[in-house]
Amino acid sequence: MATRNVKIVEVGPRDGLQNEATMISTEIKVELIERLVNAGLRNVESASFVSPRWVPQMGDASAVMRGITQQPDIVYSALVPNLKGFEAALEVGVKEIAIFSAASEAFCQKNTNCSIAESLNRFESIMQMAQANDVKVRGYVSTVLGCPYQGDVDVSAVVDVSKHLYQMGCYEISLGDTIGVGTAYKVKQLIEQVEKAVPMHNIGVHFHDSYAQALTNIYAALEMGVNVIDSSVAGLGGCPYAKGASGNVATEDVVYLLNGLGIESGVDLQELVGIGHWICDKLGKTNQSRVGQAMLQKS
Ligand code: HMG
Ligand code: MG
């Protein structure tokens, strides 16, 4: 595995903070993003241009994007649900966006107030505008291994939505285990099928860790050939519209795993652990990264 290039997409500033009861100031969000970049993360999902009525925690997305002193060659992406959100993102110079749909109707409806087909329809105009403005688009498929409302989700539904987003022009499809219920065997079966519609190097995994399976599932995905991993510093994360969605897999834990496999991620683990403790302190919550906890005890 050592010769591989693995891309980590740090989603802490977006997925991590969107579900926090404590409102975090714009200044701290900006500091978090800049510190993550300084620690070596090259892809940071930094904000979300969703409706502030739906997710008030992300209501300062424009101010956050404006506040960042952007470094060259770093991707500061943002989540966008519709044209209104995309227009706001464009206004502050966002160069990469992520659109999101789901493999389960029930979740799509709760999360975005529309059906899967409607959500894909909505994205048509976003894709056109993205092309015209030279903006890259990443696509999320949520609830790929289970849904908080409908339970089991058919692999074929995941394949259909993934294929649609890819054919529409999303350069990467991130498979979201939104409520962290998946296990390694199911992950392998899922990727085997999705790969028939989306090339392996365009597939990413986005695993929440509710059942402590995320790292094992990532290893299974790596074995399958996946090279894109979403994670969140200190294991922050959760979706306000997915009951039972706890944090994402911690970036510290992913970096530790990659280091052990001899895969160079370019991330300074010590630095990252410090950031994890700092942001947890600001949020008044326990750090969910086991590596973060272990390294703190050692120091
Ligand atoms: P809606 O209420 O159906 O929207 O929400 P609407 O089009 O009917 O508009 C209603 C009002 O909202 C209007 O304002 C719009 O202007 C405004 P009014 O005329 O009443 O004053 N509005 C907006 N304002 C600001 N920014 C916007 C925007 N859009 C409309 N972009 C909508 C539909 C999609 C907007 C809403 O459902 C929404 O924002 N949902 C997002 C929910 C969310 O953020 N969930 C978490 C992110 S997804 C996730 O975490 C999963 C992921 O991590 C992967 C995984 O783990 O699986 C990605
Ligand atoms: Mg998520």
Side-chain angles (χ1 to χ4, degrees), residues 26 54 162 168 181 191:
T26 307
W54 284 63
S162 302
M168 218 178 222
V181 287
I191 290 167

Side-chain angles (χ1 to χ4, degrees), residues 191-250:
I191 290 167
E192 201 176 280
Q193 295 306 316
V194 174
E195 199 207 355
K196 292 177 184 164
V198 179
M200 190 63 91
H201 62 272
N202 301 103
I203 298 176
V205 288
H206 177 109
F207 293 155
H208 286 258
D209 200 29
S210 319
Y211 288 78
Q213 300 300 303
L215 215 52
T216 313
N217 292 346
I218 286 171
Y219 187 69
L222 283 168
E223 279 198 321
M224 293 292 290
V226 168
N227 283 316
V228 182
I229 302 167
D230 297 1
S231 62
S232 173
V233 65
L236 302 174
C239 174
Y241 297 98
K243 210 169 162 224
S246 62
N248 289 78
V249 66

Side-chain angles (χ1 to χ4, degrees), residues 264-290:
E264 183 48 58
S265 65
V267 178
D268 181 333
L269 184 56
Q270 195 73 49
E271 189 84 22
L272 184 62
V273 165
I275 300 168
H277 289 302
W278 167 79
I279 191 64
C280 285
D281 203 40
K282 298 287 178 205
L283 292 165
K285 67 183 292 182
T286 309
N287 192 329
Q288 296 303 308
S289 164
R290 297 289 294 272

